[in-house]
Amino acid sequence: TVAGRTIIDVNMELSFETLDEVVVVGYGTQKKKDLTSAIAVVNPTELKKSPVANVTGAMIGLSPGVEVQSNQGRPGEMPTVRIRGVASTNNTNPLYVIDGIPYDNPNVNTNDVESMQILKDAASSAIYGSRGANGVVIITTKSGKKGAPKVSYQGYYGWEKAWKIFKNEGTMFDWAHVVSENNIAGGKTPPPLALDILAHEEDGNYAIYDPAINTDWMEEIFQTGSLTENNLDISGGSDAGNYYFSANQYKQDGIMI
């Protein structure tokens, strides 16, 4: 008894601690405070903040030791991911495990990601053998929960443009001189247009070059590209089972025509 009382009412309050966070590893799950290997946890909320086409592009800057870079800069392109640098001259892409199924290249909508863990060292990725030599990215997608159906929509629209466009302040004669000198220094023949401009620089009797045409090709090839994304998901469940359905539409025009 406490102070003569035989019945004690206790009210418990929720307390969220970072170290009690459950982390998915190769052999199952562990609490974050119990981890001894190099495993990084990526916050799904941060993934949704980037206007990108796939989940790999959203990983930029979210985990130390993980390098994400675009190969060609094409709209919607899958970027290259390197975990702890380049360890081989062959394929150095990490292994992606989505809901327990291995993939070489993930195509997952960021809004469908429930959790993401990155296994960086040999100890944490040993269960995957040689396929996990370049690191492992474990992705768990969302699932429905018991209850009434829930419908969620998220969308945005934006635009993008070149930050700085090169402007040629010189004349066609300056261009012809530079191009000719560079080609001659490299042991090549200058292009016919450059030769025509230099040959008739004094008399103006050009065979190819038309002085009336002065096209700014930088302005011609660059544009203000639109960027739009729409996400729709429906989830719910009952005693018979749960369901989660999602659809995504992503469009990026790019800044080059």
Side-chain angles (χ1 to χ4, degrees):
T1 61
V2 178
R5 298 174 58 186
T6 57
I7 299 177
I8 301 175
D9 297 326
V10 178
N11 293 327
M12 302 183 66
E13 296 181 356
L14 292 176
S15 177
F16 295 95
E17 299 292 343
T18 304
L19 293 179
D20 288 333
E21 180 180 358
V22 176
V23 178
V24 178
V25 296
Y27 295 96
T29 59
Q30 289 182 345
K31 288 189 176 181
K32 194 171 183 179
K33 64 181 180 181
D34 298 329
L35 292 177
T36 57
S37 52
I39 300 178
V41 180
V42 178
N43 188 350
T45 304
E46 297 296 326
L47 291 174
K48 300 177 184 179
K49 294 181 179 181
S50 301
V52 293
N54 52 70
V55 70
T56 54
M59 294 168 57
I60 298 177
L62 297 183
S63 177
V66 178
E67 178 185 355
V68 182
Q69 57 183 216
S70 176
N71 296 321
Q72 302 294 333
R74 292 189 293 264
E77 180 189 34
M78 185 79 70
T80 299
V81 178
R82 298 284 182 265
I83 297 178
R84 290 194 168 180
V86 179
S88 172
T89 57
N90 300 316
N91 181 22
T92 57
N93 295 327
L95 173 67
Y96 298 91
V97 180
I98 304 174
D99 293 333
I101 302 176
Y103 291 87
D104 292 327
N105 294 308
N107 188 14
V108 180
N109 180 18
T110 55
N111 286 275
D112 293 337
V113 176
E114 180 72 25
S115 66
M116 175 187 289
Q117 286 79 32
I118 302 176
L119 314 184
K120 301 179 182 179
D121 61 352
S124 59
S125 59
I127 187 176
Y128 300 103
S130 60
R131 297 188 65 181
N134 299 318
V136 180
V137 179
I138 301 178
I139 300 175
T140 303
T141 59
K142 295 179 180 178
S143 59
K145 297 180 180 179
K146 183 178 179 180
K150 295 181 180 180
V151 180
S152 175
Y153 168 79
Q154 181 183 13
Y156 63 82
Y157 175 84
W159 60 90
E160 55 186 355
K161 61 186 300 183
W163 175 68
K164 187 175 183 180
I165 298 178
F166 172 76
K167 293 291 185 180
N168 184 9
E169 302 296 341
T171 64
M172 287 300 297
F173 303 108
D174 297 329
W175 171 84
H177 281 286
V178 172
V179 170
S180 297
E181 292 174 0
N182 288 343
N183 280 269
I184 294 174
K188 299 180 180 180
T189 302
L193 178 59
L195 293 176
D196 181 51
I197 293 175
L198 294 178
H200 301 283
E201 185 174 356
E202 298 296 335
D203 55 36
N205 297 321
Y206 305 106
I208 302 176
Y209 173 56
D210 186 355
I213 301 176
N214 186 19
T215 303
D216 188 342
W217 289 108
M218 289 297 175
E219 292 291 342
E220 294 295 327
I221 65 176
F222 284 102
Q223 66 175 358
T224 300
S226 63
L227 182 67
T228 180
E229 182 176 14
N230 296 284
N231 294 286
L232 176 67
D233 61 77
I234 304 173
S235 63
S238 62
D239 294 333
N242 303 328
Y243 60 88
Y244 179 87
F245 170 80
S246 67
N248 168 261
Q249 181 266 334
Y250 179 89
K251 183 180 179 182
Q252 183 181 13
D253 292 333
I255 61 175
M256 295 189 67
I257 299 177

